Coordinates of all heavy atoms in Angstrom, one line a residue:
A241 N 17.4 -6.0 7.6 CA 18.4 -6.1 6.6 C 17.9 -6.5 5.2 O 18.4 -6.3 4.2 CB 19.6 -7.0 7.0
H242 N 16.7 -7.2 5.3 CA 16.0 -7.6 4.0 C 14.9 -6.7 3.7 O 14.7 -6.3 2.5 CB 15.5 -9.0 4.2 CG 16.5 -10.0 4.7 ND1 16.2 -11.3 5.0 CD2 17.8 -9.9 4.9 CE1 17.2 -12.0 5.3 NE2 18.3 -11.2 5.3
V243 N 14.1 -6.2 4.7 CA 13.0 -5.4 4.4 C 13.4 -4.0 3.8 O 12.7 -3.5 3.0 CB 12.2 -5.1 5.7 CG1 11.1 -4.1 5.5 CG2 11.5 -6.4 6.2
R244 N 14.6 -3.6 4.1 CA 15.0 -2.3 3.6 C 15.2 -2.2 2.1 O 15.3 -1.1 1.5 CB 16.3 -1.9 4.3 CG 17.5 -2.7 3.9 CD 18.7 -2.3 4.8 NE 19.9 -3.1 4.5 CZ 20.9 -2.6 3.7 NH1 20.8 -1.4 3.2 NH2 22.0 -3.3 3.5
Y245 N 15.1 -3.4 1.4 CA 15.3 -3.4 0.0 C 13.9 -3.2 -0.7 O 13.9 -3.3 -2.0 CB 15.9 -4.7 -0.5 CG 17.4 -4.8 -0.2 CD1 17.9 -5.4 0.9 CD2 18.3 -4.1 -1.0 CE1 19.3 -5.4 1.2 CE2 19.7 -4.1 -0.7 CZ 20.1 -4.8 0.4 OH 21.5 -4.8 0.7
V246 N 12.8 -3.1 0.0 CA 11.5 -2.8 -0.6 C 11.7 -1.6 -1.5 O 12.2 -0.6 -1.1 CB 10.4 -2.6 0.5 CG1 9.1 -2.2 -0.2 CG2 10.2 -3.9 1.2
D247 N 11.2 -1.7 -2.7 CA 11.3 -0.6 -3.7 C 10.3 0.5 -3.3 O 9.1 0.3 -3.2 CB 10.9 -1.1 -5.1 CG 11.4 -0.1 -6.2 OD1 11.1 1.1 -6.0 OD2 12.0 -0.6 -7.2
T248 N 10.8 1.7 -2.9 CA 10.0 2.7 -2.4 C 9.0 3.3 -3.4 O 8.1 4.0 -3.1 CB 10.8 3.9 -1.8 OG1 11.7 4.3 -2.9 CG2 11.6 3.4 -0.6
R249 N 9.2 2.9 -4.7 CA 8.2 3.3 -5.7 C 6.8 2.8 -5.5 O 5.8 3.3 -5.9 CB 8.7 2.9 -7.1 CG 9.9 3.8 -7.6 CD 10.3 3.3 -9.0 NE 11.0 2.0 -8.9 CZ 11.4 1.3 -10.0 NH1 11.2 1.9 -11.2 NH2 11.9 0.1 -9.9
L250 N 6.8 1.7 -4.7 CA 5.5 1.1 -4.4 C 4.7 2.0 -3.5 O 3.4 1.9 -3.4 CB 5.7 -0.3 -3.6 CG 6.2 -1.5 -4.5 CD1 6.6 -2.6 -3.6 CD2 5.1 -1.9 -5.5
L251 N 5.3 2.9 -2.7 CA 4.6 3.8 -1.8 C 3.7 4.7 -2.6 O 2.7 5.2 -2.0 CB 5.6 4.6 -1.0 CG 6.5 4.0 0.0 CD1 7.4 5.0 0.6 CD2 5.6 3.3 1.1
R252 N 4.0 5.0 -3.8 CA 3.2 6.0 -4.6 C 1.8 5.6 -4.8 O 0.9 6.5 -5.0 CB 3.9 6.3 -5.9 CG 5.3 6.8 -5.7 CD 6.1 6.9 -7.1 NE 7.5 7.2 -6.9 CZ 8.4 7.2 -7.8 NH1 8.1 6.8 -9.0 NH2 9.7 7.5 -7.6
T253 N 1.5 4.3 -4.9 CA 0.1 3.8 -5.1 C -0.6 3.3 -3.9 O -1.8 3.0 -3.9 CB 0.1 2.7 -6.2 OG1 0.9 1.6 -5.7 CG2 0.7 3.2 -7.5

Side-chain angles (χ1 to χ4, degrees):
H242 304 176
V243 171
R244 69 190 180 97
Y245 286 99
V246 172
D247 197 312
T248 55
R249 287 179 292 177
L250 287 169
L251 291 177
R252 298 171 188 172
T253 61

